[in-house]
Amino acid sequence: MPLRPLSLGDARITGGFWRERQEINRNSTIPAAARRLEEAGTLRNLRRAAGHEPIGDGFVGKLFADTDVYKWLEAVAWEQTRLPSAELTNWQTAASALVASAQEPDGYLNSYVRLVLGGERFGDLEKGHELYCAGHLLQAAVAQSRATGDRTLLDVATRFADLLCKTFGPGRLEGIDGHPLIEMALVELYRETGTTSYLELASYFVEARGHGLLQPPGHHGPAYFQDHLPVREVRTLTGHAVRALYLAAGATDVAVETGDTELLEALQATWATMVESQLYLTGGAGSRWYGEAFGDPFELPPDAAYCETCAAIASVQWSWRLLLATGESKYADLIERTLYNAVISGVSLTGGEFFYVNTLKVRQHAFADDQRSAVAGRQPWFGTACCPPNVMRTLSSLDQLVATSDDDGVQVHLYAPASVRADLPAGRVGFEVQTQYPWHGRVSMRVTESPEEPWTLGLRIPAWAYGGTVAVNGVERPAGPAGRQLPLRRQWAVGDEVVLQLPVEARRTLPDDRVDSVRGCVAIERGPLVYCFEQLDQDVVLDETPVLAGELVEQERPELLGGVTRVEVPARDGTLTAIPYYAWANRDVGPMTVWIDAR
Ligand code: FUB
Ligand code: ZN
């Protein structure tokens, strides 16, 4: 059954693991990015395009650098929902005015095209990223309008989108962008404004794919940018992972808004193939450095993993759309896995440095051949800086993924201390969540608002959570099957308490036999967290030490890595110590592995 997002602000993360990450994002990462965008010349590009500054040495950075500003502006907007501030408002006002001033009279906007191509538009749809840039602008605009009511960017976005509607489509310019994103951005702009031509254009961009409109550059085939098959015929994702996942998310939006069940079913089947055979244990996507691409099914080498942070974020965005479309808990399971293990690994614990590539293994020899910067150490910023502001907007909008509603009740998907409200047909409901998840499995919910009519509180029982319990007002029973929503329907009263107990204890995870690169290995997981072994925690050489059967010993270490539970694993010649994967490379950089020899 389809679910609805809660109204903005109706779910608020009030403490705990994610709140800490959000505070670092707000207080450190977003302000530092404001400086980086200036230092890197990204804002200057827009000033020059707007004519505020002499063109000087022209455009600096990648041709899609404008998107770094847009994603950062999106994060700034969502932060205003969490807690408005004068600093956020100043950034928003100044940067939005700058963006607006760089818009051309007919609505077009792209500083690279203005400064480098002399204004010549849509001449290189394969590589030009013009619609990709437009898409991020539209997304920032929708966020700003929803979060703050400020329509500065929305006006810019609708003028641009109107121009795109006049430019693209049957009988006009028949083309699609080499880098999808515009599809989901147009659908969201349609949802925000009600303008149906935006949905129609999104639908056109989805349907036009797979018909050879793009000319592949020499070294890539059409599958690189998902132009080899119509989206509704695809069953396995191919090519550039971020492109493939943004397209899948946008196509899901189109399917939902147009009622296209055939397309939706195709996307669900593709998602299932991805989960079965194309994702790393962390939820990371993309096993080939060449083309930043998905590999063949079960081609998942841990040390050659690409797992771009943006690909993980795109995967979350896609799963969220499928969760809303179907109500199926497995989509929320993947969102959780990916957020904890493939998204936040992309940012340091201080919020100041980033991984673009999220490898699952670094060997000793990596330090001999200068791969250190790419895989083993986070960087303050990148020449291609897509990932950092993508993390920012994801953390700033995370409250929106906590829960959903339908006519029957509220479904909780992410467990965090939170305050949740929803307007149901039965009336307004509310509850407070308290938990130390993911470190502890106890999640308590106290009803703060309820109509007299019965309604359903749905709780996600994660796929790994066998043997959980739930107690309603002290009456305990099994939580039921893992990998489902547990529906608790009753006439709730203010003060009613639900306590969910999830078994987060450390466990061994075996790989799928079909993944040859990790056959004979084991990984450690604990609750939603994937663990890894860093060499600096061991007395023995990681690559030479198999783990043995035996008890996994947990140690709560509040002083370590911002507070983690470590896991000791019996091994030949002693024990090995594992930490949560997201926290690796925060002390020193060195060899690390998620999968470890168990033979
Ligand atoms: O092409 C735009 C972005 O840059 C992609 O999404 C990333 O993979 C990086 O290549
Ligand atoms: Zn990226």
Side-chain angles (χ1 to χ4, degrees), residues 64 129 132 179 240 242-243 246 292 308 310 356 384 386:
F64 45 83
H129 285 73
Y132 169 78
H179 197 310
H240 186 270
V242 183
R243 283 170 165 85
Y246 279 158
E292 308 184 300
E308 183 180 339
C310 285
Y356 186 115
T384 299
C386 48

Side-chain angles (χ1 to χ4, degrees), residues 440-443 465 467-471 476 479 499-505:
H440 297 276
R442 185 180 196 276
V443 185
T469 61
V470 66
E476 188 178 294
V499 177
L500 178 67
Q501 192 72 50
L502 295 170
V504 294
E505 293 72 29

